[in-house]
Amino acid sequence: MTIKAFVIGHPINHSRSPLIHRTWLAEHGIDGSYEPIDVPPDALPAFFDRLRSGEFAGGNVTIPHKQTVFALCDEVDPLARTIGAVNTLVVRDSKVLGSNTDYLGFLGNLDAGAPQWERSAQPAIVLGAGGAARAILVALQNRQIPVHLLNRTLATAESLAADIGGAITPGALSDFNALAPAAGLVVNTTSIGLHGTRFEGFDLGRLPDNGLVTDIVYAPLLTPLLADAKARGLRTVDGLGMLLHQAVPGFAAWFGVAPQVTPALRRAVEASLEP
Ligand code: NAP
């Protein structure tokens, strides 16, 4: 019997998830399907009834449903609650279990792109305190890495640091240059970098020579921050790998095979991003 999975969102045409999961289905010769389904917000409860009927093994959740589905899931992973978003659903025994794999995607991307990165990552500077920053903070806590959380709006960084707890020190973007000499890792989670926008006044020359800079923005792949870090001779990891690696746990849960993020998969998704 064909094992079925999905991604739900509204709209859904932009999602790269079908390309990723269909590539893996073909690679492993699995009798499975992965379909994008446009579910408007008012149709979500009916879709969850459909899920409990056993039609699907599970699927992904994207904008605008990542928060709404909390109330509809039968169980939610505690880390997804801390991150504040569910992006993966697994159906077991007529129950829908919600989790968040973005933090695993972030870690998988760094583990693959900069092996042993944690050895020199302490402390880290995380730029931005929006929705995506929450998954990054959970990921860095998972590896016991203390963080300076810098944001344009200081109050947002303060409330996020208090909400997540642990070794997270809030600050302003203007603190970057003072903190840089001791920082082993810089992570951009703001939308700066999208369409080629750049941080003003950052002196990457102040980062240690073994510093690592990563950006979760992946359009363009080489953001100005990454380009500047490369020019300074620092190690860099781009954001596309996070998108690819966050898909691994869902595929493994639905189809029973742990897939690999291969260069061929990356090339296929990269090609789909080209204008
Ligand atoms: P969000 O919740 O809207 O947060 C945006 C963040 O960017 C906030 O910290 C905001 O600061 C900051 N910001 C926006 N414009 C700024 C500016 N002009 N100057 C300084 N700071 C600015 O967005 P999000 O959901 O966290 O997503 C952020 C980015 O991550 C997006 O580009 C998204 O595509 C990317 N992303 C990538 C992946 C992946 O798999 N690679 C996954 C998730 C998200 P304030 O608090 O001051 O407004």
Side-chain angles (χ1 to χ4, degrees):
M1 204 179 69
T2 305
I3 303 171
K4 290 171 64 179
F6 59 82
V7 53
I8 51 169
H10 183 68
I12 197 60
N13 297 342
H14 64 284
S15 175
R16 296 300 185 293
S17 294
L19 173 59
I20 298 170
H21 289 284
R22 288 170 180 172
T23 301
W24 283 332
L25 284 171
E27 195 178 299
H28 292 280
I30 293 172
D31 180 10
S33 68
Y34 186 98
E35 47 179 309
I37 307 177
D38 191 322
V39 179
D42 60 2
L44 263 185
F47 185 78
F48 268 67
D49 289 342
R50 205 173 145 193
L51 284 184
R52 289 191 184 89
S53 77
E55 181 181 343
F56 295 97
N60 288 119
V61 180
T62 188
I63 295 165
H65 302 318
K66 287 183 173 195
Q67 283 82 31
T68 326
V69 297
F70 274 96
L72 294 167
C73 287
D74 297 296
E75 280 174 40
V76 176
D77 179 280
L79 283 182
R81 287 202 188 282
T82 307
I83 294 168
V86 162
N87 73 344
T88 301
L89 302 174
V90 175
V91 184
R92 292 248 195 283
D93 305 325
S94 306
K95 288 192 168 161
V96 184
L97 318 176
S99 62
N100 187 302
T101 63
D102 279 339
Y103 82 100
L104 292 172
F106 174 76
L107 292 174
N109 188 32
L110 288 194
D111 289 344
Q116 305 188 337
W117 59 275
E118 305 110 302
R119 288 192 178 180
S120 53
Q122 319 216 8
I125 293 178
V126 173
L127 304 165
R134 301 183 73 97
I136 307 306
L137 293 174
V138 165
L140 293 174
Q141 274 198 342
N142 180 276
R143 301 284 173 100
Q144 281 99 42
I145 295 170
V147 169
H148 291 285
L149 177 64
L150 310 186
N151 196 42
R152 175 177 62 180
T153 311
L154 176 59
T156 312
E158 287 171 342
S159 78
L160 179 56
D163 196 23
I164 303 275
I168 303 173
T169 312
L173 291 176
S174 55
D175 296 336
F176 181 88
N177 288 344
L179 295 169
L185 171 69
V186 176
V187 186
N188 176 40
T189 79
T190 74
S191 36
I192 292 188
L194 273 179
H195 315 301
T197 49
R198 188 181 233 102
F199 288 98
E200 297 298 332
F202 278 19
D203 180 3
L204 300 188
R206 297 172 67 87
L207 288 166
D209 290 345
N210 64 352
L212 170 65
V213 178
T214 184
D215 203 322
I216 72 164
V217 170
Y218 55 82
L221 268 183
L222 185 64
T223 61
L225 178 70
L226 293 182
D228 291 347
K230 269 185 196 290
R232 149 82 176 84
L234 299 170
R235 287 187 302 168
T236 60
V237 174
D238 69 44
L240 184 57
M242 177 173 165
L243 179 74
L244 304 177
H245 282 274
Q246 64 77 29
V248 169
F251 189 93
W254 311 318
F255 300 113
V257 176
Q260 298 294 313
V261 174
T262 59
L265 174 67
R266 199 186 143 90
R267 278 196 300 275
V269 177
E270 251 184 81
S272 80
L273 294 172
E274 279 165 15

